[in-house]
């Protein structure tokens, strides 16, 4: 079993930055692919970014490319999402997720086994 806990959400203005953190416990975090998803009110959960075990394979949704940076520190069992130039469209509950690696792209929420509780990010205009 893997336990994931997100933190760092809040209320900010458009153009501001936030850093989200995900702390993992239980199973060895370094053996897992991890990702960030988000879900806005009335919308489906969508991929934000995904990172492989050794950080060599990174994926970003087109909507956040160039603004967000995903990273991980396996020695500390943590994963971060640095969010810059935030827009009102980024408002959502953000979740970290993890699963065993696969050769597929792993950008669908249904492919992930372990989830955090979510942290709210609200961006005002």
């Amino acid at each position: 079993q893997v336990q994931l806990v997100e933190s760092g959400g809040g209320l900010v203005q458009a153009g501001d930055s936030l850093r989200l953190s995900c702390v993992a416990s239980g199973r060895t975090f370094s053996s897992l692919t991890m990702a960030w998803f988000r879900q806005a009110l009335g919308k489906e959960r969508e991929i934000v970014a995904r990172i492989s075990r050794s950080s060599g394979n990174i994926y970003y949704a087109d909507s956040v490319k160039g603004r967000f940076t995903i990273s991980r520190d396996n020695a500390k069992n943590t994963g971060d999402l640095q969010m810059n130039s935030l827009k009102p469209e980024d408002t959502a509950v953000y979740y970290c997720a993890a699963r065993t690696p696969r050769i597929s792209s792993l950008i669908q929420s249904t492919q992930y086994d372990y989830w955090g509780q979510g942290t709210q990010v609200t961006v005002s205009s």
Side-chain angles (χ1 to χ4, degrees), residues 17-83:
S17 298
L18 280 175
R19 183 187 294 271
L20 306 184
S21 294
C22 178
V23 179
S25 61
R27 184 176 175 181
T28 303
F29 180 65
S30 61
S31 69
L32 303 175
T33 298
M34 73 89 59
W36 288 92
F37 289 82
R38 67 186 182 187
Q39 186 166 19
L41 280 174
K43 299 187 65 178
E44 295 183 347
R45 192 166 299 186
E46 65 178 2
I47 185 70
V48 177
R50 185 264 295 132
I51 187 168
S52 60
R53 290 168 292 174
S54 298
S55 303
N57 191 323
I58 293 176
Y59 169 89
Y60 295 102
D62 288 342
S63 59
V64 307
K65 195 173 301 181
R67 300 188 298 122
F68 291 11
T69 302
I70 189 172
S71 62
R72 66 190 297 165
D73 187 335
N74 290 334
K76 298 179 180 179
N77 287 338
T78 59
D80 288 351
L81 184 70
Q82 176 66 45
M83 305 185 294

